Amino acid sequence: MTELVLFFIFGALALVGGLTVVAARNPVHSAMGLMLTLFSLAVFYVVQAAHFVAAVQVIVYAGAVMTLFLFVIMLIGVDKAENLSETIRLQRPLVVLVGLTVVVVGVFVAVGGRFAWITGVVGAGPEVNGTAEAIGDDLFTTWLLPFEATSLLLIIASAGALALAFFRPRRREGKEEGAP
Amino acid sequence: MDGWDVAIVIVKVLVVFALLLAATILLVWIERKVVADMQNRIGPERAGPWGILQTLADGLKLLFKEQIRPNKVEVGMYLLAPVLTLLPAFLIFMVIPIGVPFTVTLGGVERVVSMQGTDLNVGLLYILAMSSLAVYAVVLAGWSSGSKYPLLGGVRATAQAISYEAAMGLALVPVVFYAGSLSISEIVAAQSGTWGGIVPRWNIVPLFLSFVIFFIAIIAETNRAPFDLVEAEQEIVGGFHTEYSGFRFACFFLAEYINMFNMSAIAATLFLGGWNGPTFGLTGFVSWLLPIIYFFIKTFVLIFIFMWVRATLPRFRYDQLMTLGWKRLIPAALLWLVLSAVVVGWRQFGAPWT
């Protein structure tokens, strides 16, 4: 019952946040909308007894990523008149197609499961153990390879970002303050 | 989970709320007295004995002052920011144990009541999460005020928070190694006892460097001098709260002092053994009361260091702040992290060549 009430409250908040991200005129409002969505997701994790994931969600997304977003928005100052013309052709039709697919799949899952996700009575899932110990155990034994692959991916991404920033055609540039 | 359990939780929340407010009133007075002493002044002395009611008088004054709202503010965020600054401040203290549990019989059932809001399995991460949320209020207040100086304060706050959060988190990892848990109550339990009957088993002994890094980082996190660039009066007027007045300003003021108390309490819990201390073989009520007294003594000693640092050191320059954070503290914390990992691993699994 508590779970259901929380789901409706924070589900609605997550949707409001998501809509704010795309609809808000002001980039700071968009960032705060995204923040609201991420925070609502953290509440969902808590409800699902995954406390570790919830804490990490708040630390990483709310704490680090969104703070950086805000920093960049404030420091650079995004122009309010953004150029909205498309540079990638077929982008809009593709978006419509993908969006429709997601909606259809969602409806299919909902109807196929006979709304078990709303009533929450059918099929009690496996016992969830969301403690840090359990997740650490799984991560470093069963899922070690995917975990290492992911960390490799992240390192490649950050190295790539550094390379893009450093090895540019030679031009006289001021020393930049190191943003993390 | 019956009515009594719910009642216990509600009482705990109210106690934390009252405790933090009372601590703030004391803290402001202590700080003014201590700093005055260090600067050869007298400090507040008119309101109440030794001026102890000065904070109360100031608080009431702020409560009745007009709340000016400039024309150019972004109304929603402007009104939200003072509330947002108080929320994490109050929430952090919920996971800090201030004493040993006691048993009480309510509704015919004997219940164990811990002196802690709630014992989360991921307590330490919860603290980091909440303290990372605290910066939003500052940033939003700075941005929504719609004027130059607050915006500068907000941008400075973001950069500072990101830089020092990393050092803070890294400094805490060795503590987790030594305790083997993220739960705050277990970290405290792991620090009970002594080495050879003299030296207490506090984390500060093997992890002194961690403690130093953590303490520097929390001074920066709470935006206190010498890291108070966010509200540097000589450079950017009042910083992020320039456009706030009356009770909204009081919210920021309150949050700053609550955060200082919180962070000192966290440092005392993680590095100074929390409520651990000698009980001298006493039993009953006294043995329950002593740990609470120890906890507050340790916390206030750290708070005194906060004030001492504030009265002693001049403000950092912005580039010095960034250099200290990124080029000194983070590498030192990383190196120390690897070292303590080796030590803990060696102790647990034996030497690598055996």
Side-chain angles (χ1 to χ4, degrees):
Chain A
M1 188 58 208
T2 327
E3 193 179 336
L4 188 64
V5 173
L6 284 175
F7 174 77
F8 276 120
I9 296 174
F10 286 96
L13 280 180
L15 286 180
V16 169
L19 286 176
T20 315
V21 175
V22 286
R25 303 241 158 169
N26 196 315
V28 174
H29 289 167
S30 294
M32 291 321 287
L34 187 53
M35 168 89 184
L36 185 64
T37 306
L38 295 170
F39 206 79
S40 309
L41 290 185
V43 174
F44 288 152
Y45 294 139
V46 171
V47 171
Q48 305 289 340
H51 295 126
F52 179 75
V53 183
V56 169
Q57 165 95 3
V58 175
I59 293 175
V60 172
Y61 286 104
V65 175
M66 290 314 296
T67 324
L68 267 182
F69 276 19
L70 277 179
F71 184 65
V72 170
I73 290 172
M74 285 182 186
L75 203 65
I76 301 174
V78 182
D79 272 336
K80 280 181 185 164
E82 202 50 30
N83 185 9
L84 286 175
S85 63
E86 299 288 344
T87 47
I88 307 171
R89 287 198 306 139
L90 287 179
Q91 193 176 358
R92 287 194 178 176
L94 269 177
V95 166
V96 170
L97 196 68
V98 172
L100 273 180
T101 318
V102 170
V103 168
V104 167
V105 169
V107 168
F108 185 73
V109 168
V111 174
R114 304 214 175 138
F115 301 99
W117 53 283
I118 288 187
T119 54
V121 279
V122 180
E127 190 66 28
V128 182
N129 189 355
T131 62
E133 289 89 346
I135 288 182
D137 247 15
D138 267 2
L139 209 56
F140 290 106
T141 52
T142 321
W143 305 103
L144 185 61
L145 189 65
F147 176 75
E148 294 293 348
T150 314
S151 65
L152 194 66
L153 188 72
L154 287 175
I155 289 177
I156 292 172
S158 43
L162 277 179
L164 282 178
F166 270 122
F167 306 114
R168 254 186 259 168
R170 280 191 185 277
R171 221 182 306 144
R172 184 115 179 91
E173 271 172 314
K175 198 180 162 203
E176 282 173 40
E177 191 60 65
Chain B
M1 192 84 180
D2 57 6
W4 284 108
D5 284 327
V6 177
I8 289 174
V9 171
I10 292 173
V11 168
K12 276 180 181 174
V13 171
L14 290 179
V15 166
V16 167
F17 186 70
L19 180 76
L20 287 176
L21 286 182
T24 309
I25 289 176
L26 264 180
L27 271 184
V28 178
W29 174 73
I30 294 176
E31 167 151 49
R32 292 181 66 172
K33 274 294 195 192
V34 167
V35 173
D37 237 27
M38 290 180 177
Q39 297 170 343
N40 268 332
R41 295 185 284 114
I42 297 172
E45 58 156 1
R46 293 304 167 99
W50 309 292
I52 201 165
L53 296 177
Q54 185 65 45
T55 323
L56 221 54
D58 287 346
L60 281 176
K61 183 197 76 177
L62 282 174
L63 204 61
F64 290 118
K65 265 179 108 169
E66 185 190 356
Q67 307 197 17
I68 300 162
R69 191 201 297 165
N71 272 334
K72 281 197 175 173
V73 299
E74 186 81 34
V75 179
M77 299 287 176
Y78 180 79
L79 297 182
L80 187 69
V83 184
L84 218 56
T85 188
L86 282 178
L87 266 181
F90 280 111
L91 283 175
I92 284 183
F93 201 76
M94 288 302 290
V95 293
I96 298 174
I98 62 171
V100 287
F102 63 95
T103 50
V104 65
T105 311
L106 285 174
V109 189
E110 199 161 278
R111 296 160 205 275
V112 179
V113 181
S114 61
M115 296 295 286
Q116 183 181 17
T118 173
D119 186 17
L120 284 180
N121 175 265
V122 289
L124 204 59
L125 293 178
Y126 171 86
I127 289 176
L128 288 177
M130 285 303 135
S131 73
S132 69
L133 286 185
V135 70
Y136 278 99
V138 177
V139 173
L140 287 179
W143 175 78
S144 66
S145 292
S147 100
K148 291 184 204 72
Y149 295 123
L151 186 65
L152 282 174
V155 172
R156 283 181 177 193
T158 335
Q160 188 173 328
I162 297 172
S163 314
Y164 282 85
E165 228 160 65
M168 188 169 112
L170 283 174
L172 287 182
V173 181
V175 175
V176 181
F177 283 164
Y178 271 74
S181 172
L182 285 168
S183 145
I184 305 289
S185 64
E186 277 176 46
I187 291 175
V188 173
Q191 296 180 70
S192 60
T194 53
W195 280 296
I198 309 159
V199 185
R201 259 185 192 287
W202 297 347
N203 280 335
I204 190 175
V205 180
L207 298 175
F208 186 71
L209 192 63
S210 260
F211 175 72
V212 172
I213 294 171
F214 181 71
F215 202 77
I216 296 174
I218 61 176
I219 297 178
E221 280 284 303
T222 47
N223 296 328
R224 302 256 323 155
F227 299 103
D228 60 344
L229 287 101
V230 174
E231 42 194 302
E233 291 87 355
Q234 294 85 346
E235 301 160 20
I236 49 174
V237 195
F240 65 96
H241 56 55
T242 306
E243 305 292 354
Y244 285 90
S245 58
F247 194 64
R248 296 193 194 114
F249 168 74
C251 285
F252 287 113
F253 196 72
L254 187 62
E256 180 183 333
Y257 279 88
I258 293 177
N259 275 330
M260 185 164 90
F261 182 77
N262 278 339
M263 287 302 176
S264 304
I266 291 166
T269 306
L270 299 180
F271 290 99
L272 298 181
W275 43 260
N276 281 310
T279 47
F280 309 112
L282 293 165
T283 51
F285 180 67
V286 183
S287 72
W288 175 77
L289 196 62
L290 268 178
I292 299 179
I293 295 174
Y294 288 138
F295 172 80
F296 280 108
I297 288 177
K298 288 168 185 173
T299 307
F300 274 95
V301 165
L302 290 178
I303 286 171
F304 177 75
I305 300 179
F306 257 91
M307 294 165 183
W308 191 2
V309 169
R310 179 203 149 164
T312 313
L313 295 175
R315 186 179 298 129
F316 276 79
R317 226 171 42 223
Y318 192 75
D319 58 316
Q320 289 172 331
L321 177 92
M322 286 293 144
T323 311
L324 180 69
W326 287 100
K327 293 184 185 163
R328 307 273 186 280
L329 288 187
I330 291 179
L334 263 177
L335 200 69
W336 184 248
L337 168 63
V338 173
L339 272 178
S340 32
V342 168
V343 169
V344 171
W346 197 306
R347 211 185 283 159
Q348 196 167 347
F349 305 112
W353 52 80
T354 52

